Amino acid sequence: MAAHMANVLLTSLSEKEGKSLLPWAIEAANEHQLLQSEQNVQDWVSHINTSLGTAKTRLEGLCLLGTVVRQCSAGTFIQHGTTWIRMLTQVLQAYDSPLTLQMASHVLACVVQQAAQYPEVARDVATTNIPALVQCLLGAQDHQWFPSALEALHSCMKNFPGPCGPSKGKIESLVCGLMDTNQPRLSQLLQETCPLLAGCGGGGAGGVKYTEAWTHLCDQVLGSLHQVLDHAYQDIEIGLQTYSAPQVSLRLKTVPESDPARTFVLSTRFHNLCGCLQQLVSQDFPSVVRIPVPDILALLCRALGVNAKMLFGKASMEHVLLTSALPKMHCSALSLLEALIICCRSHLVPHASVISQLLVQTLGWTTSEEGVPGRQKPHSTLRSRAYTVLTVWLNVCGAASGVDSHADVILQHVLKDATPQADTTKLKANRPGSQDQSRRQKKKQRGVDMTDQGLSGHRKVDSQANSDVCSAALEALKTLLEVVGSSLKPSIHKETQEFVIPLLLKIHQNQSDPPIPYSCARCREGLYQLLLAAVLVLHPRWPPPTHCAVKIFSVGQQDYDLQVSSYCREALLTCMSIIHPRAPTLQSPVIISDTPTISKLSTNHMAPSFQMLRTNASETMLKNSSSNGNLFTVPSFKSASQSEGMLKDNPSQSESTARESIRVESSEVPESFSKTLRREEDMAGPSVIHLDGSSSSSEGQSSSEDSVEFLEDVKNSEPDSSTLETREPEDAVSTTGRELATDMPDNEDVVLIQGHTGEGSAEAPAGTTDLSTTAGVKRKHESDGEGEDNDSQNADIQAMLAAFVPDSTPDEN
């Protein structure tokens, strides 16, 4: 199908109306890529070669050749590439129409670029075609098709630098003669061609000659720039700092002596030279070179050191013309600074203060008075360029850029450029003698004078006025917050949020006619980006406006510009991920459940883990008896969350805490119970509670006296030998027990035993008595040897305690 379509298109071009069908045939061939196959392209190549040999069809052949070169395969180009270059050179040497020569130069640049990719073609072209081709292109300087010829010359110098070496002197003279041109395309080609002069000729061993040529060319451009500033600032830099400049320079034309031609040539030459130096530090080079950063920064300081405020009040023609040319010269200098920042990156950190000061200084002197709403402000292009370079500088060096020290000044500039101007109208009445007012009195009157046009008059309004500088300012402030926002003063975050939130709400209220310049979609998107940056950048002393941002982004999804609404949707998703995190935050409270109830003693030696804590007793041992035996119960006085308070004596312990109970039937206590209990506490030296009730610190000590350890050795017992159960205090404590509790001392020692088991709690057998405790199982040790009486209950308790801890001694406290 592709072959048939290619033949049909070629046949249609051969007819009488072929010229009118040429654009359509080229478009179809590009869309379907019909010429990638060698079988399809052979007929087209024959048609092209025939057309190039005839002056009448030469332009058509050139157009088709450009299409074939971009689509053909490697085999096709290797077969016909050299022939095409030779035929194009012959076309350039012939006296043909400027349009044909221009097209031939454009196609030649493409063919030369492709030829450098194939070694077999490159060798033949370099030795046979390039020298003659360069001489042909240099002769086109005075012709109308010279810009296209310069484009072809640039392609030859870039892809075949060695064969261009013999013509290096002529190329340099051509470049120097074009330094005063103001044509945009020619100026751009000149700036891209000048750095290639350093690579013309051989590179020597290890590229030494390339390095020397690059350094020499850089010094020449720097020296020429200083010469331009010498002429432009000759009467202004008196008393200012002088700068050392290289002694070499390019062989440029003589500067005119009379104005305005003198100022025009100087400003244009400065712009082109800055562009050449910008390309020189930006383009790749075959060898390692050293960029003279201090010399370039010295040049920038000198160029940006003179501003319009210094020239204000000087009525000479030279100063007025220089004032008009300063914005263009400063824009060129800032573009050079941007290229230097991108090339050197973090190597410019030692010069951070100088670079930041240059940018803030430019924003300072370009600040204008309140202008007319809906009209462009002065120096908008220069301010936009300064904001752009500031953004690049922040992105490259971040917090090391030194911009945070100027954050207050930058914020004020941004707010002034991004805040919509208030439309004020001032009416005045014609009074007798009002026409005799002085100029100073007329200057004091502010506002828009509606006298001539009346209230129903219309003013000229540009809805896109100052949109470039507004979007650039918002981008700079957003980058400033993202890079150094956490280290800025909280007042900066406060002013930023107070600016962006009310302004976005105002835009939402009147979306059909937003305030100028926010009818521009880029400015509205910049506002939303700034709001998202204020949400994402956390400051320790100022909260983010997350709650406001969610609502604003939700409404912003209805913006009539698709790009703005899409960004609001993405920003809203970001805010939702913040307020609805995917995992619990680490700062949320951690809830620790109470110690589980132990249903029975485990027969496994390693299963129970017992802990003993010393606390203050505020209740007494309760006496209860049952048909199953003696029951030993103690109350608890503090919860597990108050473990720190358990280590201190507090006689005024409250009885308002919940309680748990422990029941141990003394008749079924194992005889070979372990002699020691281990108290497992935190790693930082816990206190040790002795069985006798005394307390000591275990930090730095390990002895049997200071830390009492029990490793239980529980024999096989009946499943229901001991049970634990929790109940309400009202059901557990008998009336006799309550009476006895009021007579006991308040500073009893309490032994806390906690056991963990995987089983649930079991129901207590009938005939037992319970008492609730708070943090596990607590056992009361009687503290004094006197006792309340000598009845059988006390004897049974002492016997049971001796069975648990044979070597324990009652506490005397």
Side-chain angles (χ1 to χ4, degrees):
M1 183 64 182
H4 182 64
M5 187 182 300
N7 293 330
V8 169
L9 292 176
L10 186 60
T11 304
S12 62
L13 292 176
S14 303
E15 297 179 356
K16 294 182 180 180
E17 299 178 354
K19 289 186 178 180
S20 60
L21 299 177
L22 180 63
W24 171 74
I26 293 176
E27 182 180 358
N30 291 331
E31 180 65 25
H32 296 278
Q33 294 292 307
L34 301 176
L35 307 178
Q36 292 183 358
S37 174
E38 295 185 4
Q39 182 180 0
N40 299 340
V41 80
Q42 293 299 328
D43 295 337
W44 285 64
V45 171
S46 302
H47 180 75
I48 289 171
N49 294 337
T50 304
S51 300
L52 291 178
T54 307
K56 186 177 180 180
T57 58
R58 188 167 293 164
L59 184 60
E60 177 186 350
L62 291 172
C63 296
L64 295 177
L65 177 60
T67 305
V68 170
V69 168
R70 286 188 293 268
Q71 294 188 29
C72 69
S73 61
T76 303
F77 189 87
I78 292 174
Q79 182 180 359
H80 302 281
T82 307
T83 304
W84 288 337
I85 293 179
R86 185 178 66 255
M87 296 178 67
L88 290 172
T89 306
Q90 294 175 358
V91 171
L92 293 177
Q93 293 174 350
Y95 294 96
D96 214 322
S97 64
L99 182 60
T100 303
L101 296 176
Q102 181 178 350
M103 190 64 191
S105 301
H106 177 71
V107 175
L108 179 63
C110 298
V111 175
V112 170
Q113 181 181 0
Q114 293 290 331
Q117 302 178 10
Y118 306 101
E120 52 269 39
V121 180
R123 286 192 297 267
D124 190 10
V125 171
T127 56
T128 307
N129 303 104
I130 293 298
L133 182 58
V134 170
Q135 295 296 328
C136 179
L137 295 173
L138 289 175
Q141 182 175 359
D142 300 331
H143 295 80
Q144 187 178 355
W145 55 281
F146 177 67
S148 300
L150 187 59
E151 179 184 358
L153 180 62
H154 174 271
S155 180
C156 293
M157 296 174 63
K158 183 177 181 180
N159 297 283
F160 296 94
C164 295
S167 304
K168 181 178 179 180
K170 295 182 179 181
I171 298 175
E172 183 177 355
S173 300
L174 174 66
V175 169
C176 292
L178 296 175
M179 282 297 174
D180 298 338
T181 182
N182 61 343
Q183 299 180 20
R185 185 188 176 192
L186 194 59
S187 177
Q188 182 66 27
L189 289 171
L190 167 68
Q191 296 170 15
E192 295 176 358
T193 305
C194 180
L196 299 178
L197 289 171
C200 291
V208 177
K209 292 185 178 180
Y210 281 153
T211 304
E212 294 177 354
W214 190 95
T215 305
H216 181 68
L217 181 60
C218 185
D219 291 340
Q220 284 183 319
V221 176
L222 281 173
S224 301
L225 283 169
H226 278 286
Q227 288 182 358
V228 172
L229 294 180
D230 291 339
H231 288 284
Y233 299 163
Q234 58 183 357
D235 298 332
I236 304 172
E237 291 183 327
I238 300 176
L240 299 179
Q241 181 181 359
T242 58
Y243 303 93
S244 59
Q247 301 299 322
V248 295
S249 61
L250 296 173
R251 297 187 296 271
L252 302 177
K253 296 180 179 179
T254 306
V255 179
E257 297 181 359
S258 60
D259 281 313
R262 173 179 173 274
T263 305
F264 172 77
V265 169
L266 290 176
S267 62
T268 304
R269 184 176 296 182
F270 184 84
H271 170 73
N272 290 329
L273 287 172
C274 283
C276 292
L277 188 57
Q278 176 183 347
Q279 294 292 330
L280 196 62
V281 300
S282 301
Q283 290 183 2
D284 295 334
F285 202 68
S287 62
V288 180
V289 295
R290 175 185 172 273
I291 299 177
V293 173
D295 296 339
I296 297 177
L297 288 178
L299 171 70
L300 294 175
C301 291
R302 184 183 181 187
L304 299 174
V306 177
N307 53 64
K309 292 185 177 180
M310 298 175 59
L311 302 176
F312 182 76
K314 297 182 179 180
S316 62
M317 181 178 180
E318 293 82 0
H319 292 160
V320 173
L321 292 173
L322 180 59
T323 303
S324 64
L326 274 180
K328 181 179 180 181
M329 297 176 65
H330 282 205
C331 285
S332 303
L334 291 177
S335 298
L336 175 59
L337 178 59
E338 180 183 5
L340 186 66
I341 291 172
I342 296 175
C343 178
C344 299
R345 301 182 71 86
S346 60
H347 297 286
L348 294 178
V349 170
H351 309 281
S353 59
V354 177
I355 297 175
S356 301
Q357 183 63 36
L358 286 176
L359 298 174
V360 174
Q361 171 185 309
T362 302
L363 291 175
W365 78 264
T366 54
T367 304
S368 59
E369 298 277 336
E370 290 293 336
V372 180
R375 306 296 293 273
Q376 193 78 11
K377 291 183 180 180
H379 309 302
S380 296
T381 304
L382 181 55
R383 291 183 69 83
S384 302
R385 198 72 198 139
Y387 282 127
T388 303
V389 179
L390 177 62
T391 304
V392 173
W393 176 234
L394 285 169
N395 286 326
V396 167
C397 291
S401 60
V403 180
D404 52 344
S405 59
H406 306 280
D408 292 327
V409 180
I410 294 175
L411 176 63
Q412 297 306 318
H413 286 299
V414 171
L415 295 182
K416 192 168 185 179
D417 288 326
T419 303
Q421 296 182 8
D423 192 359
T424 58
T425 302
K426 187 174 182 179
L427 302 178
K428 66 178 181 179
N430 291 328
R431 297 179 181 179
S434 60
Q435 298 178 357
D436 300 333
Q437 293 179 354
S438 62
R439 293 182 178 179
R440 182 175 300 179
Q441 292 176 349
K442 292 182 179 181
K443 191 175 182 180
K444 289 182 180 180
Q445 296 178 354
R446 296 183 178 180
V448 180
D449 190 4
M450 303 291 294
T451 304
D452 297 333
Q453 53 192 13
L455 291 175
S456 61
H458 297 280
R459 290 180 292 131
K460 183 180 179 181
V461 175
D462 182 10
S463 60
Q464 303 289 326
N466 305 305
S467 59
D468 293 337
V469 64
C470 178
S471 59
L474 293 174
E475 180 69 18
L477 182 57
K478 184 206 72 166
T479 309
L480 179 65
L481 289 181
E482 292 175 347
V483 172
V484 292
S486 59
S487 61
L488 297 177
K489 296 186 296 185
S491 60
I492 295 179
H493 289 263
K494 176 177 179 293
E495 292 184 33
T496 301
Q497 296 177 16
E498 290 177 350
F499 156 73
V500 66
I501 294 177
L503 183 54
L504 283 172
L505 294 177
K506 183 178 180 180
I507 294 175
H508 291 168
Q509 293 173 359
N510 192 9
Q511 293 187 2
S512 60
D513 187 19
I516 300 174
Y518 292 100
S519 56
C520 176
R522 291 185 292 108
C523 297
R524 295 197 305 275
E525 185 179 4
L527 274 180
Y528 288 116
Q529 291 175 351
L530 180 59
L531 178 60
L532 182 61
V535 172
L536 296 179
V537 177
L538 300 179
H539 193 276
R541 298 173 58 189
W542 191 260
T546 309
H547 56 294
C548 298
V550 172
K551 181 62 177 177
I552 291 175
F553 288 135
S554 299
V555 180
Q557 294 180 104
Q558 304 175 4
D559 195 279
Y560 56 84
D561 187 84
L562 182 59
Q563 185 174 356
V564 177
S565 60
S566 301
Y567 180 82
C568 289
R569 184 180 66 253
E570 296 175 3
L572 183 60
L573 292 176
T574 304
C575 293
M576 288 301 176
S577 65
I578 295 176
I579 63 178
H580 300 296
R582 294 178 175 85
T585 174
L586 295 178
Q587 297 180 355
S588 62
V590 180
I591 301 175
I592 303 177
S593 60
D594 294 335
T595 305
T597 304
I598 303 177
S599 60
K600 61 178 69 176
L601 293 176
S602 175
T603 57
N604 188 357
H605 295 284
M606 301 301 294
S609 175
F610 296 97
Q611 296 181 350
M612 180 176 64
L613 295 177
R614 182 176 181 270
T615 62
N616 298 321
S618 63
E619 293 188 14
T620 182
M621 180 192 309
L622 301 178
K623 299 178 181 179
N624 288 297
S625 61
S626 64
S627 60
N628 296 332
N630 295 330
L631 179 66
F632 182 68
T633 61
V634 293
S636 172
F637 309 101
K638 287 199 175 183
S639 61
S641 62
Q642 296 172 323
S643 58
E644 294 181 359
M646 290 182 179
L647 302 180
K648 299 181 182 179
D649 292 332
N650 188 2
S652 62
Q653 178 67 36
S654 174
E655 298 181 7
S656 61
T657 56
R659 294 167 181 148
E660 297 177 359
S661 65
I662 176 172
R663 298 184 325 282
V664 179
E665 298 182 7
S666 60
S667 62
E668 296 182 6
V669 174
E671 297 180 358
S672 60
F673 200 77
S674 60
K675 296 181 180 181
T676 58
L677 280 174
R678 168 174 295 180
R679 178 188 174 193
E680 298 176 350
E681 222 174 61
D682 54 296
M683 301 299 295
S687 300
V688 177
I689 312 293
H690 296 278
L691 287 178
D692 59 356
S694 60
S695 169
S696 64
S697 174
S698 63
E699 184 176 0
Q701 301 177 2
S702 62
S703 63
S704 60
E705 297 179 357
D706 295 337
S707 62
V708 181
E709 296 184 356
F710 285 102
L711 297 176
E712 67 172 20
D713 186 10
V714 182
K715 292 183 177 181
N716 294 332
S717 59
E718 294 296 328
D720 297 333
S721 61
S722 62
T723 59
L724 296 176
E725 183 179 357
T726 60
R727 291 183 184 176
E728 294 297 329
E730 289 78 2
D731 299 335
V733 185
S734 63
T735 305
T736 307
R738 295 178 187 274
E739 295 175 356
L740 292 175
T742 58
D743 298 331
M744 293 299 294
D746 294 336
N747 56 348
E748 293 294 326
D749 293 336
V750 178
V751 177
L752 172 64
I753 303 176
Q754 292 181 344
H756 297 273
T757 179
E759 303 177 3
S761 59
E763 290 292 329
T768 60
T769 306
D770 301 335
L771 183 65
S772 298
T773 59
T774 301
V777 183
K778 294 187 174 62
R779 202 176 332 137
K780 182 80 169 56
H781 178 72
E782 191 170 49
S783 61
D784 55 296
E786 297 179 359
E788 294 294 328
D789 52 18
N790 296 325
D791 55 7
S792 60
Q793 295 291 341
N794 288 339
D796 293 337
I797 292 173
Q798 294 292 340
M800 186 197 68
L801 184 62
F804 271 88
V805 188
D807 298 335
S808 62
T809 303
D811 190 3
E812 298 298 335
N813 295 329

